[in-house]
Amino acid sequence: MELLASHRKWPAPLAFFPERGIIGKEKTGGPLPKGGFAANMKNYRLHLIRHGMTEANRRGAYAGRRTDVELSPEGIRELLDLREQYEYPPVKTVFCSPMTRCIQTAGVLYPQAELQVVPSMAEMDFGEFDGRTLPELEERGEEFLHWVKNSLTEAPPGGESMEEFGHRVAVGLSSILAYVMQNGLEDTAIVTHGGGIRAILSSMALPRLSPAQMLVGNGRGYTCFASPQLWMRDRLIEVVGIMPHGAERAAQLNPELAEAMSSLLDAMGEEAE
């Protein structure tokens, strides 16, 4: 199967890379371990990184597949600060969601790397809920609360369920790993979304992290080892460290979103009573 579909130039202001490609065809906690697999097994290192902050993130909005926003000035400054303070391991190839915020993040962190765009790694499609904040969605009453309680198998109006989203991300990760292993890329970065990273960590990675550990902050994430043996047999990768290297934590929720989520949980509790 030909994974590399095409190379093309992106127009300014996204001209961070000399060339770009498209990978794949889209289809519809405790402490982290210090080591990896046995030394005689080849491991490929994948650095999962969430994009930098956007204005939608700051407002606590559901910024999904339909909300293609750019990084905010604050988000760019935060990425530069993280890059200065900690280490983003050098890579020759970055795999990236097609969303602008991810492409810009890859350009800030890895300006010299080759960029491969992976359509299946785009954020979840929240349908009619996309781009709205939690307080705005709470105004829809039972319709929104029903989806929150049943989002694993039920899609928001015009969107996709978490099961559908998880399958799509699995297709994307499979395409990436096939390309990585075929081309012997020992170190690569995947710049994607909080939802995509949670989908990978919750069903395709060991050890299983707590829900709090999977709320990855902007510009943060996890380093994982991918062993061909474990991936081919069980479709699993191993979480081995925090991104960027040297940071104390990957999980970080902005105050506006934390407050909105607390309000939502309170509303759900009242509904249950």
Side-chain angles (χ1 to χ4, degrees):
M1 179 177 65
E2 184 66 33
L3 291 175
L4 185 57
S6 67
H7 281 279
R8 57 196 174 101
K9 295 284 186 180
W10 285 88
L14 302 182
F16 292 114
F17 299 88
E19 61 179 348
R20 294 169 168 76
I22 299 178
I23 291 287
K25 298 292 186 179
E26 184 173 341
K27 301 178 182 178
T28 299
L32 294 178
K34 298 296 183 182
F37 294 98
N40 62 343
M41 294 185 181
K42 185 176 181 66
N43 286 314
Y44 296 91
R45 289 174 292 275
L46 307 176
H47 307 294
L48 306 178
I49 304 169
R50 185 187 176 197
H51 63 78
M53 181 178 290
T54 67
E55 178 61 23
N57 293 148
R58 191 197 64 76
R59 294 189 300 110
Y62 273 82
R65 194 178 189 180
R66 303 182 183 205
T67 305
D68 193 15
V69 293
E70 296 189 351
L71 297 179
S72 65
E74 178 185 358
I76 294 174
R77 286 194 299 270
E78 182 180 40
L79 289 175
L80 293 172
D81 288 344
L82 286 169
R83 191 180 67 179
E84 177 70 21
Q85 186 174 1
Y86 304 113
E87 179 195 5
Y88 289 92
V91 301
K92 293 182 179 180
T93 303
V94 177
F95 299 95
C96 191
S97 157
M99 310 298 288
T100 298
R101 53 195 182 271
C102 291
I103 293 173
Q104 290 179 327
T105 297
V108 172
L109 298 179
Y110 294 104
Q112 302 304 318
E114 177 191 29
L115 181 69
Q116 299 288 350
V117 175
V118 188
S120 294
M121 298 303 291
E123 182 60 288
M124 183 172 171
D125 187 345
F126 294 112
E128 294 180 11
F129 299 160
D130 216 313
R132 301 182 181 275
T133 64
L134 287 174
E136 290 171 341
L137 290 170
E138 286 175 342
E139 295 178 1
R140 300 186 68 139
E142 179 58 31
E143 179 187 28
F144 175 64
L145 292 177
H146 176 81
W147 172 70
V148 170
K149 296 173 185 177
N150 301 279
S151 57
L152 179 63
T153 57
E154 295 188 23
E160 62 186 339
S161 69
M162 291 181 66
E163 280 187 342
E164 293 168 332
F165 172 59
H167 173 73
R168 172 161 63 77
V169 171
V171 169
L173 183 60
S174 294
S175 296
I176 290 170
L177 283 174
Y179 188 88
V180 162
M181 293 177 187
Q182 288 172 6
N183 291 278
L185 304 178
E186 294 187 1
D187 268 283
T188 55
I190 301 176
V191 179
T192 184
H193 306 267
I197 293 175
R198 284 194 298 275
I200 292 171
L201 295 177
S202 64
S203 62
M204 292 172 268
L206 293 175
R208 298 296 190 211
L209 303 184
S210 70
Q213 289 174 307
M214 288 189 277
L215 292 174
V216 176
N218 296 106
R220 299 171 183 263
Y222 291 97
T223 290
C224 300
F225 282 169
S227 158
Q229 294 88 342
L230 185 62
W231 178 253
M232 296 300 180
R233 187 184 68 227
D234 300 319
R235 287 295 189 264
L236 290 171
I237 60 178
E238 181 187 19
V239 183
V240 296
I242 290 169
M243 282 290 291
H245 291 178
E248 294 183 358
R249 64 184 185 277
Q252 186 169 312
L253 208 59
N254 73 65
E256 290 83 2
L257 183 55
E259 182 179 353
M261 289 183 67
S262 177
S263 174
L264 172 63
L265 292 174
D266 289 343
M268 291 178 65
E270 293 173 2
E271 182 73 15
E273 293 175 1

